[in-house]
Amino acid sequence: MSVKTLHTDKAPAAVGPYSQAIQVGNFIFTSGQIPLCPETGELVSESIEKATKRSLENNKAILENAGSSLNKVIKVNIFLKDINDFAKVNGVYAEYFNEHKPARSCVQVAAIPKDAMIEIEMIAEC
């Protein structure tokens, strides 16, 4: 299988030695997207709702640039700074995944890069 590195200016550049996403065969694997604004590089941190939306939008931009979409997502991993934000995250998440419900994990972690409140990664079909 061929491996292709994916990049779009509509999502923030990687903050380390990794790619925004990789395509392997018919699958796209996004790197964890923290809520960075792609235009400014600023961290969205006013609320968990706004941070969740930004992280989802970053993933959406990467997928769409690769010819995929949120409707083709098969797995989502969500990492939270505070598991008490779970219900608020679900509220925003449901706006993006209402009828199509991919498999998902959501866990609290000790730390996220740049002290972000959330990080989201996805696996999708092309």
Side-chain angles (χ1 to χ4, degrees), residues 46-121:
E46 303 88 60
S47 69
I48 189 61
E49 293 91 346
K50 288 182 180 180
T52 301
K53 182 174 180 166
R54 181 74 265 156
S55 291
L56 288 166
E57 287 291 330
N58 291 345
N59 274 285
K60 181 180 173 186
I62 293 166
L63 293 175
E64 288 178 351
N65 185 67
S68 188
S69 71
L70 292 178
N71 288 330
K72 294 183 177 184
V73 172
I74 56 177
K75 176 72 166 125
V76 178
N77 293 317
I78 301 175
F79 307 98
L80 295 175
K81 184 176 181 178
D82 185 351
I83 199 67
N84 292 310
D85 289 331
F86 185 81
K88 292 177 182 175
V89 169
N90 273 344
V92 176
Y93 184 90
E95 295 173 17
Y96 288 80
F97 296 103
N98 45 45
E99 300 220 2
H100 171 64
K101 293 178 175 56
R104 187 184 93 175
S105 299
C106 184
V107 297
Q108 178 175 311
V109 294
I112 298 174
K114 296 189 175 272
D115 201 30
M117 293 185 274
I118 190 168
E119 182 172 358
I120 301 174
E121 62 185 26

